[in-house]
């Protein structure tokens, strides 16, 4: 099994996009990229927008190679809409290249879903159905794909139990030798997701940490996230790639330090430097104004 992280907060954008090669099949997981519209009261800096364009081109290139596409839920950092008007980089042409001719395994568009995601799912299906090879509603289902098994969790909360952000599905890829779980926005905060991961005993877990950058709105999420991920590590022994929401918090290295096995970010797994651009948006705006401000990564 070959795993290639594509885009995430440690690579400068909001995403958890991954490309996997298993048993001669190529899988593109959660092909979405976005930027936080406001952070510290500021819009995205120029460096963030330029990085967004590069990441979308990268996902587009890997989409050309993919046989299958999985979508865990309908937030724009996890699926490419056919048009969202953001940053002049999302268009029908771009989305068609991502999905045309592909077999799609997607979160159910009508069951266990909140109102905003139901609307996005409707718009997505309206455009995807005429061009996709086949569309499968994946929640709680398993698929034998000729030497490789693709299994999806039942819908679990997007974050804590009772989250207003709706539900997501996790994806297990099993090629008979290795087991990978892609667990997008569980945020390590609900028991249903943690128990499913432990039951499946992955060799590699790719997941997003809790949204501790939200401050008081995420009270207790730091401790809960560490406790739950440590339980997963003890029970499964899995290697962990941890990114997404937690890397929006500048303190994420301290979170990693509280774990019994230190995870890698997407950037760390690729052996490049972390570039958590959103967490340093204030500094990036000051640099644009010509001020001399240091950030812990290289600017491009």
């Amino acid at each position: 099994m070959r795993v290639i992280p594509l885009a995430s907060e440690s690579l400068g954008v909001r995403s958890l996009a991954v490309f996997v090669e298993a048993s001669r099949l190529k899988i593109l997981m959660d092909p979405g990229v976005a930027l936080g519209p406001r952070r510290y009261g500021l819009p995205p800096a120029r460096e963030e927008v330029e990085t967004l364009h590069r990441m979308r081109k990268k996902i587009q290139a890997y989409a050309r190679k993919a046989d299958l596409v999985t979508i865990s839920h309908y937030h724009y950092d996890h699926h490419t809409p056919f048009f969202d008007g953001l940053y002049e980089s999302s268009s029908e042409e771009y989305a068609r290249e991502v999905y045309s001719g592909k077999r799609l395994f997607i979160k159910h568009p009508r069951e266990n879903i909140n109102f905003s995601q139901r609307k996005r799912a409707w718009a997505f299906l309206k455009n995807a159905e005429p061009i996709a090879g086949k569309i499968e509603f994946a929640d709680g289902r398993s698929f034998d794909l000729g030497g490789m098994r693709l299994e999806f969790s039942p819908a679990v909360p997007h974050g804590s139990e009772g989250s207003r952000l709706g539900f997501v599905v996790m994806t297990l890829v099993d090629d008979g030798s290795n087991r990978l779980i892609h667990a997008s926005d569980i945020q390590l905060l609900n028991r249903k997701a943690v128990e499913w991961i432990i039951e499946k005993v992955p060799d590699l877990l790719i997941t997003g940490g809790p949204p501790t950058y939200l401050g008081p709105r995420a009270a207790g999420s730091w401790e809960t996230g560490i406790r739950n991920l440590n339980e997963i590590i003890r029970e499964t022994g899995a290697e962990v790639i941890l990114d997404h929401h937690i890397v929006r918090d500048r303190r994420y290295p301290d979170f990693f330090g509280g774990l019994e096995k230190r995870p890698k970010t997407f950037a760390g797994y690729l052996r490049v430097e972390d570039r958590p651009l959103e967490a340093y948006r204030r500094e990036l705006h000051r640099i644009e104004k010509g001020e001399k401000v240091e950030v812990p990564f290289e600017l491009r």
Side-chain angles (χ1 to χ4, degrees):
M1 187 182 294
R2 185 180 180 213
V3 178
I4 305 173
L6 298 180
S8 71
E9 275 75 352
S10 72
L11 296 172
V13 293
R14 290 187 172 189
S15 181
L16 204 69
V18 179
F19 186 79
V20 178
E21 296 182 9
S23 300
R24 299 184 181 179
L25 287 174
K26 298 176 176 64
I27 310 164
L28 179 60
M29 311 179 84
D30 273 18
V33 183
L35 299 177
R38 305 293 295 182
R39 184 71 191 276
Y40 310 119
L42 297 167
R46 183 171 59 243
E47 184 84 5
E48 294 178 84
V49 175
E50 291 172 354
T51 301
L52 177 97
H53 292 321
R54 289 196 298 271
M55 293 295 110
R56 282 187 160 167
K57 287 179 180 178
K58 182 197 294 187
I59 288 175
Q60 191 174 30
Y62 276 92
R64 296 187 190 110
K65 307 175 185 180
D67 305 300
L68 317 174
V69 176
T70 67
I71 295 175
S72 66
H73 63 298
Y74 298 96
H75 287 162
Y76 291 151
D77 51 347
H78 293 274
H79 87 294
T80 296
F82 282 79
F83 179 75
D84 62 16
L86 295 175
Y87 320 116
E88 301 179 355
S89 61
S90 184
S91 67
E92 182 178 356
E93 181 182 354
Y94 172 80
R96 287 179 68 88
E97 184 148 15
V98 173
Y99 302 118
S100 287
K102 306 296 189 295
R103 188 173 180 183
L104 308 184
F105 297 83
I106 66 174
K107 166 77 186 67
H108 201 292
R110 294 182 296 276
E111 298 177 1
N112 293 307
I113 192 166
N114 65 359
F115 179 70
S116 65
Q117 288 201 57
R118 186 182 294 113
K119 289 198 302 181
R120 293 178 183 184
W122 176 85
F124 174 76
L125 282 171
K126 178 183 176 181
N127 290 282
E129 284 177 332
I131 63 170
K134 187 175 183 180
I135 299 178
E136 306 277 5
F137 297 167
D139 308 35
R141 298 177 65 193
S142 181
F143 302 85
D144 184 354
L145 300 174
M148 188 269 286
R149 184 166 60 88
L150 204 58
E151 182 177 347
F152 296 86
S153 73
V156 298
H158 183 296
S160 301
E161 190 69 38
S163 169
R164 290 180 296 177
L165 295 173
F167 297 84
V168 304
V169 293
M170 300 176 282
T171 306
L172 168 68
V173 181
D174 185 349
D175 69 357
S177 299
N178 296 283
R179 296 164 67 86
L180 159 71
I181 288 179
H182 181 273
S184 66
D185 287 15
I186 64 166
Q187 300 179 350
L188 300 169
L189 297 179
N190 67 84
R191 289 304 306 170
K192 189 174 182 180
V194 171
E195 290 169 1
W196 191 85
I197 292 168
I198 290 172
E199 177 189 340
K200 301 303 175 183
V201 197
D203 299 292
L204 175 64
L205 171 65
I206 299 174
T207 192
T212 57
Y213 73 102
L214 294 176
R217 286 186 287 165
S221 64
W222 184 288
E223 295 78 11
T224 301
I226 285 179
R227 182 174 64 251
N228 285 336
L229 187 49
N230 274 335
E231 181 182 356
I232 291 169
I233 290 168
R234 285 194 303 270
E235 294 295 329
T236 68
E239 179 184 0
V240 178
I241 300 177
L242 180 63
D243 213 305
H244 208 25
H245 306 89
I246 186 64
V247 180
R248 299 175 199 169
D249 187 333
R250 297 186 189 199
R251 303 171 298 158
Y252 73 90
D254 296 333
F255 186 93
F256 284 27
L259 297 168
E260 296 178 13
K261 180 190 289 186
R262 192 172 185 88
K264 296 176 181 176
T265 61
F266 274 30
Y269 190 85
L270 295 170
R271 299 182 180 180
V272 298
E273 71 168 347
D274 285 3
R275 301 182 74 244
L277 299 181
E278 181 180 319
Y280 289 86
R281 185 175 289 179
R282 284 180 298 208
E283 288 80 1
L284 293 176
H285 275 280
R286 290 175 62 191
I287 290 169
E288 285 182 21
K289 294 175 181 177
E291 298 181 36
K292 292 184 178 181
V293 179
E294 291 187 1
V295 291
F297 46 80
E298 183 180 350
L299 297 176
R300 297 179 182 174

